[in-house]
Structure formats: C-alpha cells, structure tokens
Amino acid sequence: MKKVSWLLTLLLVGMPTFALAAGTIDGGSKQAINWSAIGMFVGFVMLTLVITYWAAKRTASAADFYSAGGGITGFQNGLAIAGDYMSAASFLGISGLVYTSGYDGLIYSVGWLVGWPIVTFLIAEQLRNLGKFTFADVTSFRLGQTDIRILAACGSLVTVAFYLIAQMVGAGKLIQLLFGLDYWIAVVLVGGLMMIYVTFGGMKATTWVQIIKAVLLLAGATFMAGAVLYKFGFSPEALFAKATEVHPKKIAIMEPGSLISNPLSAISLGLALMFGTAGLPHILMRFFTVKDAQAARKSVFYATGFIGYFYVLTFIIGFGAITLVSTDATFLDASILEKTKSGIAAIKGGSNMAAIHLANAVGGNLFLGFISAVAFATILAVVSGLALAGASSISHDLYGMVIKRGAANEQDEIRVSKIATLVLGVLAIFLGIVFENQNVAFMVGLAFAIAASCNFPVLVMSIFWKGLTTRGALIGGFLGLISAVVGVVLSPAVWEATLGYAKGSAPIKLDNPALFSMAIAFAGIWLFSILDRSKRAAIDRDGFDAQFVRSQTGIGAASATTH
Amino acid sequence: MINLARIERDPNYQELVRRRSSLGWRLSLIMLVVYFGFILLVAYAPKFLGTPLGSGVMTIGIPIGLSVIVLAFVLTGIYVRQANSSYDVLVRKIVEENRP
C-alpha cells in the first residue's frame, strides 16, 4: 500500500492547503514555546492588521469588497496567485517529499505547475472579460441565472468547505509543533484573524496579506537554497553527490521511486492536478481583481514564473535537508534513530519539518523563527482567500442573484457577505476542533476532484461550446460533483484507510476519481444539452455569439470599478 | 448597443479569433503531450530517467523534470507576448471600428 500513501501525499501537497502536514505531523508532542517565531509572527499580524485598517477605509462598494476595486496590477496579482499556490503544504510538503525520496518531489512539482499554462491559454482572459466577481458570473452569462448560480454555488461552497476544514486542522497541528501552543488556541487564532481580514478589509486586505506572505516566503526560500548551495561551492553535483552518500536509499533518490506505478492512476491524478487548478473558486476570483484581460493574462505569467522558481528552490532545500539535517543529531529523535539507524526516518516532527530544521541549520534560531512565522502566515492567507470565495458565492450568487434576482442593494450584499464570513469562520473553527484527530486527506481529495469535475467542465463548456444549455450544464455539473464524491469514497484511500475495509477491497482502484468523474461530467453536459429541446435551450444557444464576441474582445465587459 | 453581426463580419475580429484560438489550443496540446509524456515516462521507464549524466550522480531525469517546469513558463510567456503585441492591437481596432 506504499504506492497509495505516496499518491496521497502527492495529491495532498498538490494543493494550496495544509492537509499533508495534518496527515503526517501528528506526533502530538508539543514543543517548547518558540519565542522568536512568536515574535516574528506577531510582527506579521500587526503589519497585516494595519493593512486591513487601511483597506477597510477604502472599501465602500461591492466591487471594492469582492475584487479590490480592480485596482491590483498584473504583477501584484501574479504574486497573490502564486501566494495562493505556495502554501505551507507545498513548501513543507514538497521539501519533505524530496527529503524522504529525492526525485519524486520533482514529479509532484511538475504536476502542479502544468495547470497554469492551460489556465492562461483557455480561461484567464475569457473569465476576466465575461465575469464580474465570481466565476458563476461567467457560466450564467447566457444560461438560466437561477439554476446555474445554484450549481456554481454548490460546487464552490463544497470545495471551499472541505478545503477550509483541512486547512484548520493542518494549522492547529503545525502551530502545536512550531509555536508550542495548544491545538484549540491555534484554530481559534486562525479563524479569528481570518474573520478580521475578510470582514473589514475584503479582497483588498486579503490580496495584500497574500502578497506580503508570498514575498516573505520567496525571500526565505531563496536564502535557504542559497545557503545550501554556498556550502557546496554552488555546485549542484556536489550537493547531489553528498546527498546520495548519506541517504539510506543511496543513488535511488536520483530517479523515480514508488511514487507512480499504475499509469491509469497517474493519468487520473495528472488530470485532477491540471484541471482542478482551473476550477478552484478562490483562484478564479483573483482574475477579477485586475483592471482588464491583459492584466489577467500577465498575472498568470508572473505567477507561473514565481511558482516554478519556488519549486526549484524547494528541490534544493529538500536535498539540502538530506545533507544537513539527517546527519545532525540535534534534529533527530534519538530513540527512532537507534531503532531504524536512518537519519531520514528519525527526523523530529516528521518529514514535513525538514525545511524548518534546515532553516535552523543554515540560519540559526532567528531564521528558524522567521520561517516558522512565514509558514503560519501562509495558512492565514490561504484561509482568508477561501473564506472570501465562499462568502462571495453566498452573497453575490445566492443572495444577490438568486434570492433578490439581481436587484439586491449593494450595501445589503456586502452586509450578507460579512455575515457569511463570520458564519464560515465560526463553522471552520468548530469543525477544525471536531475533526482534530480525523484523517483530513479525503476532504482535500474531494475538494480537488470536485473543482476538476464540476466547476471546470461547466466553466470551459460555457466559454467554448455554443450547444451548451442550462439543463445540460445543470445535470452534467451535478453528475460530475456526485461522481467525484462517490469516486473518493470508493477509492482505496477512503474505503480502506479511513473506513477500514480490507486492503484491496476498494471498488475503485484509482486514488483520484478525476479520470472518470471528469468524463462523466463532460459526457453528461454534452448529452443533456443536445437532447434539450426546451424554450430555454434556444435562448441559451442564441446567446452564445454575443458572449463569444465579448469573451474575445472584452467589449461591454464589466469594469471593476463602479464609478 | 453593440452591433453583433457587424463585429462578426469584421475581418479584424475573424483574424483575432482564428489566431488566438489556434495558438491557444496548439500551446495547450504541447503542454498536455509533454506533461503526460513525462508522467508515462515516470510510470513505465523510471530507469531511463535514472540514467546518469556523465560520471557524476546527476541523472537525466533532473534536467528533464526541470525542463518541463521551464517549458510551462516559456509557453505561457509566448502566449502572453503574442497576445500583448498583436491580439490587443486587433482588439483595439475592433473596439474603435465598432464604437456605437
């Protein structure tokens, strides 16, 4: 079952969440209180609260609240998007994966990056030209508002909910380890700060928190990778040579290991990684914070660059940790070391702590504090982005467009989203505490699978296929959503590992359902659209040409400012 | 109101759509082929990726993996450059010519 756990690891770190750490940092032991980390973190929180205060004074209209008034530049938005991707999971998770198995970490990095070009070529501009605040604006452009908004809101909220829970649990576990605080305090802290950022500062504050965090993370990772290479005279060959010498798997860490052995599973996972990216509501929302389509496409270009650069750094950091952490008794658990004789297995706090220990090894206590604080800041930023996406879906799609039929007063809509944020925050804290000792892996798998099988197919078909009808999108989208849920429950990861049935008894052998759930969604959308002879269907098809012209040229696109 | 039929007949518009979609789908195809090619290599030919480069421990898999990352960035760059230099010019022309 090693393969399964690896694929799961791959899947988990493949997301801007913190579930991986939740899965493996569970030693339960609390560290001594880490004052330098707490000091740095308090500094970060102060800075972000000042920004929130500043943003709050400038947030008056719905456009300010949902999309920062469209005033974010392409470069800034690139950093913010990258920030959503360079989560604590990808930073600690990939470097931990490289630490334990070398080359396999790189395979994951590749899988996660390749979704971005697809987003640029096929979605980014069209989204910006057609939408206003949420991606449901795009899908309901020519389709029946009510049904489509409900479908999109379901897809978004389910994705956001599962992500949020996984994030909260991960945050609690990490903070226990890094700061020496109690689990529940950590969860309340994250939930509370998130509510402050989102309700007072809206998208502007959330974006700036994300940008600051991205810069700190890139700077910290650059310093670490630089320090590692410096020790080896800037020769990667020397670094790799030393790593293969001290790692128990020796030269095998330089080639693919047990990460992928079933090609079908690999392809399914690849699909989920690629297209899940293009269906995540909190990422899609970022395309509305910029001025126009040109800025939208530029921001993905910058984001791809930052993310790619960051992955190269984590690869070096992972190898650096093999050479500097696994050979240093201060970072190892003596009792495990005695049993296994392997520095890799004996690392304190599990492999996800590799980068944290390396920070200590190359930069001392103060730098350790810095990296710990950045890791925590990362969770805060991602949680805020998620909460805003969920709240917008409730206030803009459900309240504004479904309940009030587009006639909602702007101030009421903002008030609803603030209430929604508070409810989401309280719920996230509550569920974070309830799920403390649950394996959150399946929730993240579910979130990703739903994004790839419900949100993405409906979005891409509505942009490119004239024949799409409301009924087709509705049935196909819900089929995708349901089959993704069923596929995750029947997969080995949940059926065997979580529900406890015998090994090998899982009805579906794929670790991620994307291959079949995406196929079902697309087939359902196509079939029920071409069979649709209703009056509504004629309206849907007739509306395509106008939509297409606008998606290509931006003529008539909502300007993000309301003046 | 914008005149839909007029824009659709506009040769600039037709050129924009043709060029943009052909480039977009072609680049998407390249990315898909390269990525799934890489994954299949990992699944079926891990030993190939483990072939040492020269006399050291560096294997061929490392430059290959890094190239996929770099390729993703370069393809995005190609698209953005094309779009900024020529598609946006066409868009501006279309907007100018079809001002209501």
Side-chain angles (χ1 to χ4, degrees):
Chain A
M1 285 334 283
K2 194 155 169 48
K3 187 203 89 207
V4 171
S5 69
W6 269 120
L7 279 169
L8 208 63
T9 308
L10 179 83
L11 173 70
L12 291 180
V13 287
M15 275 165 286
T17 72
F18 203 66
L20 173 71
T24 42
I25 301 185
D26 52 9
S29 59
K30 236 174 36 159
Q31 304 278 302
I33 290 184
N34 179 346
W35 289 111
S36 60
I38 292 179
M40 300 260 184
F41 180 68
V42 168
F44 174 84
V45 170
M46 293 305 216
L47 178 66
T48 51
L49 286 177
V50 170
I51 288 170
T52 307
Y53 176 74
W54 162 83
K57 291 212 301 201
R58 282 160 185 76
T59 298
S61 65
D64 291 333
F65 186 83
Y66 294 126
S67 61
I72 305 292
T73 68
F75 181 77
Q76 291 163 347
N77 196 42
L79 269 174
I81 293 175
D84 269 320
Y85 258 63
M86 301 182 301
S87 60
S90 49
F91 179 52
L92 302 180
I94 316 173
S95 48
L97 193 57
V98 176
Y99 177 75
T100 49
S101 43
Y103 191 81
D104 286 348
L106 187 64
I107 302 174
Y108 146 64
S109 300
V110 169
W112 205 19
L113 192 72
V114 293
W116 282 108
I118 306 292
V119 173
T120 324
F121 307 149
L122 305 180
I123 290 186
E125 292 172 53
Q126 285 87 342
L127 203 68
R128 182 63 195 86
N129 282 336
L130 293 172
K132 200 172 173 206
F133 300 139
T134 67
F135 83 91
D137 293 336
V138 177
T139 50
S140 59
F141 191 85
R142 66 188 158 109
L143 306 179
Q145 285 270 353
T146 313
D147 294 340
I148 288 298
R149 296 248 180 212
I150 290 173
L151 169 72
C154 285
S156 298
L157 284 172
V158 174
T159 310
V160 163
F162 285 110
Y163 253 82
L164 259 181
I165 298 172
Q167 289 276 350
M168 294 310 264
V169 175
K173 297 283 179 194
L174 182 74
I175 289 158
Q176 238 175 342
L177 260 157
L178 293 185
F179 294 178
L181 295 173
D182 278 329
Y183 177 84
W184 72 271
I185 297 181
V187 171
V188 171
L189 204 64
V190 172
L193 283 169
M194 171 211 100
M195 289 190 270
I196 293 174
Y197 294 150
V198 179
T199 48
F200 292 107
M203 191 51 144
K204 198 171 274 180
T206 306
T207 303
W208 279 103
V209 169
Q210 198 62 273
I211 291 173
I212 295 170
K213 171 225 121 175
V215 171
L216 290 177
L217 188 56
L218 282 170
T222 303
F223 175 79
M224 269 163 90
V228 167
L229 286 175
Y230 172 77
K231 284 204 196 297
F232 291 93
F234 290 95
S235 156
E237 176 64 31
L239 169 66
F240 294 141
K242 176 78 179 163
T244 53
E245 198 179 296
V246 300
H247 198 290
K249 290 183 190 161
K250 299 294 174 195
I251 195 79
I253 57 172
M254 300 301 289
E255 65 180 46
S258 49
L259 193 60
I260 288 171
S261 48
N262 171 356
L264 211 59
S265 232
I267 288 175
S268 187
L269 190 71
L271 285 171
L273 284 174
M274 252 187 155
F275 299 113
T277 304
L280 295 173
H282 65 298
I283 302 282
L284 295 176
M285 238 189 131
R286 295 228 163 270
F287 294 109
F288 305 117
T289 63
V290 291
K291 179 166 105 264
D292 53 22
Q294 185 176 34
R297 74 171 90 91
K298 269 191 200 158
S299 59
V300 199
F301 175 62
Y302 289 123
T304 313
F306 289 130
I307 298 166
Y309 170 66
F310 176 71
Y311 285 155
V312 174
L313 293 181
T314 50
F315 193 63
I316 298 169
I317 289 170
F319 271 93
I322 295 176
T323 60
L324 300 174
V325 173
S326 79
T327 54
D328 186 336
T330 26
F331 307 119
L332 305 177
D333 188 322
S335 62
I336 303 179
L337 187 60
E338 197 151 314
K339 247 187 292 170
T340 59
K341 306 281 177 223
S342 150
I344 299 291
I347 185 168
K348 279 183 191 161
S351 63
N352 284 312
M353 296 297 283
I356 303 285
H357 292 317
L358 183 68
N360 197 352
V362 301
N365 230 343
L366 203 64
F367 188 63
L368 168 74
F370 174 80
I371 287 293
S372 306
V374 169
F376 189 22
T378 288
I379 303 173
L380 269 183
V382 175
V383 166
S384 304
L386 281 168
L388 190 65
S392 307
S393 199
I394 294 171
S395 62
H396 180 63
D397 296 329
L398 292 182
Y399 173 80
M401 294 299 180
V402 174
I403 297 175
K404 292 281 174 182
R405 306 262 163 196
N409 173 318
E410 237 184 40
Q411 293 310 314
D412 284 346
E413 215 180 288
I414 297 179
R415 195 170 315 123
V416 171
S417 50
K418 289 185 175 179
I419 296 168
T421 306
L422 294 178
V423 173
L424 278 173
V426 172
L427 203 67
I429 292 172
F430 173 73
L431 293 174
I433 290 171
V434 169
F435 282 97
E436 176 179 353
N437 294 314
Q438 292 289 313
N439 178 349
V440 292
F442 75 95
M443 294 182 208
V444 182
L446 202 53
F448 213 2
I450 290 168
S453 324
C454 173
N455 302 355
F456 174 74
V458 173
L459 184 64
V460 82
M461 293 290 255
S462 77
I463 292 176
F464 290 106
W465 189 43
K466 185 183 171 96
L468 179 74
T469 71
T470 305
R471 190 189 294 167
L474 200 63
I475 299 177
F478 274 115
L479 282 177
L481 200 159
I482 294 164
S483 59
V485 174
V486 171
V488 168
V489 172
L490 299 185
S491 73
V494 173
W495 192 257
E496 293 161 20
T498 309
L499 300 178
Y501 291 99
K503 284 208 188 311
S505 68
I508 294 173
K509 304 294 179 207
L510 296 177
D511 296 288
N512 189 287
L515 185 61
F516 80 91
S517 61
M518 278 181 78
I520 290 174
F522 276 110
I525 291 172
W526 174 78
L527 184 70
F528 289 98
S529 291
I530 57 159
L531 292 179
D532 193 352
R533 296 267 173 273
S534 63
K535 231 183 245 162
R536 179 70 233 182
I539 301 174
D540 296 337
R541 291 183 193 117
D542 287 347
F544 181 78
D545 291 344
Q547 177 200 300
F548 193 74
V549 166
R550 179 158 136 185
S551 80
Q552 291 289 325
T553 62
I555 294 173
S559 73
T561 46
T562 50
H563 313 295
Chain B
M1 269 316 284
I2 55 162
N3 185 336
L4 197 62
R6 200 174 122 195
I7 294 180
E8 284 178 328
R9 276 196 310 273
D10 187 333
N12 284 325
Y13 174 75
Q14 288 165 356
E15 192 189 344
L16 171 76
V17 171
R18 189 171 44 76
R19 286 178 54 188
R20 194 209 298 274
S21 57
S22 89
L23 183 72
W25 290 108
R26 249 184 316 170
L27 293 179
S28 302
L29 195 70
I30 294 175
M31 195 70 249
L32 284 168
V33 168
V34 169
Y35 173 54
F36 285 104
F38 176 68
I39 290 293
L40 291 176
L41 217 52
V42 167
Y44 285 116
K47 288 292 163 220
F48 166 72
L49 292 173
T51 316
L53 273 180
S55 57
V57 296
M58 177 87 84
T59 53
I60 197 168
I62 289 178
I64 290 179
L66 293 178
S67 329
V68 181
I69 293 183
V70 173
L71 181 76
F73 179 64
V74 170
L75 290 183
T76 311
I78 291 173
Y79 180 84
V80 171
R81 202 191 148 96
Q82 270 297 318
N84 287 354
S85 63
S86 70
Y87 305 162
D88 281 352
V89 174
L90 286 170
V91 168
R92 267 194 297 278
K93 274 191 202 157
I94 298 164
V95 172
E96 281 301 313
E97 284 161 13
N98 292 283
R99 223 171 256 292

